[in-house]
Amino acid sequence: MMPAVFEGYLPYLGHRTYYRVVGDLEESLASGRVPLVTLHGGPGSTHNYMELLDCVADDGRAIVSYDQIGCGKSYLEGHPELWDVETWLGELEALVAWLNLRRFHLLGQSWGGMLALTYLTRHVATVGADRGACSVVLSSTLPSSQLWGREQHRMARQLPADEWAALREAEGTGDFSGAAYQRAIDHYMGLHCADLSYGPDAPECLRRPKRSGAESYAVAWGPNELMPTGTLSQWDVTDRLPDIQTPALIISGTDDLCTPLIAKTMFDALPNARWELLEGCRHMCYADDHERYVSLLRAWLDERDEFDGNRS
């Protein structure tokens, strides 16, 4: 039977952040099943696709997801001054405090992984600490915005010549409204991120209409995945990765926006890391190979629960 789902709102910066809990947080902690906090991508992509991981709560582990301020049920626009890493870091810290999460696992996908790494560098968590993150899952994410941009351009050069030319022209002119550009970026994202639409047989959470944070994405990141030009453009924690003792599971796909070079950069620098490369998966590994992804995630969380000493 599906665990109960609780929804609520966190007051934050004079606005409201929507959150969703699958299962019971107190029972999860008491049983030694450390809750999992998921951080969606974007910025501005909403929590919807994280519902694919609801099944991980079937064994009593509570799962927390939320719509970061600026998107989904936490939608906000007309506040460009908010869209930087400090806003979203403060929101995560506020949510952890609001839900009284003494111990938790973190899972960050894409931008969510950047947020997770930022959190860990600010709260240099160690194994066995009384509070904080006891493990992190870095799903199709990155340690450096500029490295990400370079790798996207390297892969985009493999597009048909006319599409690559359309991308370069849009970058040069700053005009991203042309049909040729849109066809090129749609093709690129279809190859490396996700299908542009999901059919009637896809899970409901992937087909559900969502209110994406277009403003937060444009201000914080830029016009597209290839061009980190916003407030996150110089974000880089590569040199801080060796300080993170928290056990880390890196998951990426062979066809991912997170290229093997990006994943290996994290794997090489993190002192307590494991890397799983999933064949045929793009940026949404949990959708492209759901069974394999969930199996990896369940095993990882169970292992880290036991190592953390919280199992009864």
Side-chain angles (χ1 to χ4, degrees), residues 21-302:
V21 181
V22 183
D24 187 285
L25 286 171
E26 288 303 318
E27 290 182 6
S28 180
L29 283 166
S31 68
R33 297 280 184 183
V34 179
L36 174 67
V37 178
T38 68
L39 310 175
H40 66 70
S45 290
T46 82
H47 83 282
N48 291 15
Y49 58 72
M50 289 299 185
E51 293 182 25
L52 290 173
L53 304 181
D54 281 0
C55 58
V56 178
D58 290 348
D59 62 2
R61 184 186 310 282
I63 301 178
V64 178
S65 60
Y66 66 105
D67 286 338
Q68 297 159 22
I69 187 170
C71 69
K73 296 181 181 180
S74 308
Y75 186 80
L76 187 66
E77 64 178 359
H79 289 275
E81 75 282 357
L82 290 179
W83 311 134
D84 60 30
V85 69
E86 297 302 328
T87 290
W88 288 300
L89 174 62
E91 182 181 45
L92 173 57
E93 292 169 335
L95 183 69
V96 167
W98 181 263
L99 297 177
N100 192 28
L101 294 172
R102 300 180 298 279
R103 297 293 281 150
F104 53 91
H105 300 285
L106 273 177
L107 185 154
Q109 190 266 346
S110 194
W111 144 250
M114 297 168 64
L115 181 55
L117 288 171
T118 302
Y119 180 89
L120 293 174
T121 60
R122 302 288 181 89
H123 303 264
V124 185
T126 56
V127 178
D130 292 335
R131 300 186 67 86
C134 56
S135 87
V136 62
V137 179
L138 300 168
S139 187
S140 300
T141 189
L142 56 145
S144 163
S145 298
Q146 290 301 306
L147 173 61
W148 185 266
R150 292 194 300 273
E151 281 292 273
Q152 304 319 303
H153 280 85
R154 180 184 62 78
M155 290 199 297
R157 285 196 293 273
Q158 301 171 37
L159 290 170
D162 61 327
E163 294 184 358
W164 171 241
L167 289 175
R168 294 298 289 167
E169 181 179 359
E171 286 191 13
T173 63
D175 181 1
F176 300 93
S177 62
Y181 163 77
Q182 196 59 56
R183 285 193 298 272
I185 200 67
D186 286 351
H187 185 199
Y188 181 77
M189 294 300 281
L191 289 171
H192 299 294
C193 187
D195 291 330
L196 299 177
S197 62
Y198 292 92
D201 295 331
E204 186 275 335
C205 64
L206 296 180
R207 295 180 283 107
R208 183 190 313 153
K210 66 179 183 180
R211 201 170 190 186
S212 299
E215 180 185 87
S216 61
Y217 180 86
V219 173
W221 186 258
N224 58 49
E225 284 299 309
L226 285 71
M227 295 182 64
T229 57
T231 61
L232 295 171
S233 64
Q234 300 305 311
W235 181 89
D236 191 335
V237 297
T238 309
D239 291 344
R240 296 291 310 279
L241 295 181
D243 298 333
I244 298 175
Q245 298 298 319
T246 307
L249 172 63
I250 301 162
I251 303 177
S252 63
T254 55
D255 303 325
D256 206 332
L257 295 171
C258 173
T259 66
L261 174 62
I262 295 170
K264 188 174 185 298
T265 299
M266 293 185 289
F267 177 69
D268 286 348
L270 288 163
N272 194 0
R274 172 181 161 194
W275 177 21
E276 292 285 346
L277 182 63
L278 303 190
E279 183 178 1
C281 287
R282 298 164 297 169
H283 201 45
M284 296 173 64
C285 296
Y286 40 80
D288 284 354
D289 192 346
H290 183 259
E291 183 177 353
R292 174 65 173 153
Y293 191 99
V294 168
S295 177
L296 283 171
L297 180 59
R298 285 185 189 275
W300 171 262
L301 297 177
D302 285 349

Side-chain angles (χ1 to χ4, degrees), residues 2-14:
M2 172 70 181
V5 175
F6 174 81
E7 299 174 293
Y9 285 89
L10 160 75
Y12 185 62
L13 298 181

